[in-house]
Amino acid sequence: MVLVIDVGNTNIVLGIFDGKALLDHWRISTDRLRTTDEYGVLIRNLFYANGVDAEAIQDIIISSVVPPVMPTLERMCQRYFGLVPLVIGPGVKTGMDIKYDNPREVGADRIVNAVAAYEMYGGPVIIIDFGTATTFCAVDRKGVYLGGSICPGIGISTEALVQRTAKLPRIEVRRTDKVICRNTVESMQAGVFYGFVGQVDGLVARMQKELGSRAKVVATGGLAVIIAPEAKSIDVVEPMLTLEGLRIIYERNR
């Protein structure tokens, strides 16, 4: 079995694969102050609580956009699993040509998502990841990663609105029935929800035009299931896209 770990700015998502089958997955907070032992005990306790044999883990692969956490996680893998993890970065075979001015600048999660989306749907394909940042990535029909756009995520945008205003409350991000609302909470919900729906459809339309052909649009990330039903441009939601991408890249590097 293979343990795949996706380290994001807000959450760390873990998954266990047996071949191509995702047996289980978990989401924990990304904490830069958490120690090697704290991560090790937490993860092994998750395994124990869900009936996963930690001794059956044969390999570990990690994708991270939070460099300060990596030394801690790498030590955790060695101490609690006796394994040196494969870390997505230079020298790792992704099977994807990256047409970026500086390929080292591309977030590992963006490449992993692109690999998974192209493997699943072919190209051209556009990938939207609703994470701490909302990222838009494009892959052409030959499987070349072309680049994309990066926007403030829904969560941090909403939090900024609350922090920088005196009277606006924290809200749940949800769809409202209309945009001309008669109370503050619904007004904020409408603005956030439909504002991001418009952002998604607008950016995808421009990317489709630049690609010159109709691309499949795949969404992932925590809030994808909320935005996707209203966004006309999104074709499919794949909640486990990043974990699938890590599995695929692991197979290519065995």
Side-chain angles (χ1 to χ4, degrees):
M1 295 193 297
V2 179
L3 170 61
V4 301
I5 304 175
D6 172 39
V7 183
N9 287 292
T10 304
N11 292 315
I12 297 174
V13 183
L14 309 100
I16 297 287
F17 280 94
D18 186 1
K20 294 184 178 181
L22 179 60
L23 302 182
D24 212 337
H25 61 90
W26 304 271
R27 183 180 298 268
I28 63 177
S29 62
T30 303
D31 187 347
R32 303 183 187 199
L33 299 179
R34 194 173 275 156
T35 67
T36 296
D37 294 323
E38 287 172 329
Y39 272 117
V41 170
L42 174 57
I43 293 172
R44 288 192 69 111
N45 280 344
L46 285 173
F47 286 5
Y48 178 78
N50 290 274
V52 176
D53 180 9
E55 307 309 318
I57 301 298
Q58 298 170 314
D59 282 302
I60 301 173
I61 182 170
I62 304 176
S63 164
S64 175
V65 296
V66 190
V69 176
M70 286 308 299
T72 301
L73 288 178
E74 290 184 63
R75 288 194 297 268
M76 180 277 296
C77 292
Q78 295 176 42
R79 179 166 184 174
Y80 285 85
F81 294 93
L83 297 168
V84 176
L86 175 65
V87 179
I88 302 297
V92 173
K93 299 176 185 177
T94 63
M96 180 163 285
D97 186 15
I98 302 171
K99 294 296 185 185
Y100 216 65
D101 291 344
N102 181 0
R104 293 175 182 269
E105 290 181 358
V106 187
D109 55 340
R110 298 176 73 188
I111 299 302
V112 171
N113 286 340
V115 167
Y118 185 75
E119 180 80 5
M120 296 166 73
Y121 297 102
V125 61
I126 295 170
I127 307 99
I128 309 170
D129 187 352
F130 294 93
T132 305
T134 302
T135 61
F136 296 75
C137 299
V139 178
D140 70 13
R141 64 177 65 257
K142 294 181 180 180
V144 177
Y145 180 88
L146 302 175
S149 301
I150 303 174
C151 311
I154 298 173
I156 61 175
S157 296
T158 306
E159 189 64 22
L161 182 64
V162 173
Q163 290 182 356
R164 298 299 294 270
T165 55
K167 297 180 68 175
L168 295 182
R170 284 183 170 82
I171 59 167
E172 174 191 4
V173 178
R174 58 181 292 272
R175 179 186 179 279
T176 58
D177 293 331
K178 53 188 178 180
V179 294
I180 302 177
C181 302
R182 297 186 179 180
N183 63 71
T184 300
V185 169
E186 286 192 356
S187 295
M188 292 174 67
Q189 289 174 329
V192 170
F193 180 83
Y194 291 106
F196 275 94
V197 167
Q199 179 189 78
V200 167
D201 286 342
L203 277 171
V204 169
R206 288 177 177 271
M207 292 177 80
Q208 297 276 22
K209 184 176 180 180
E210 290 180 22
L211 285 168
S213 60
R214 177 70 173 86
K216 187 88 169 181
V217 180
V218 182
T220 192
L223 291 174
V225 293
I226 297 175
I227 300 296
E230 193 69 28
K232 297 178 181 179
S233 59
I234 295 176
D235 296 312
V236 62
V237 175
E238 292 285 354
M240 298 295 110
L241 189 69
T242 312
L243 300 188
E244 286 291 340
L246 284 169
R247 177 192 64 78
I248 293 166
I249 293 174
Y250 165 75
E251 293 289 343
R252 292 175 180 175
N253 286 269
R254 290 184 65 178

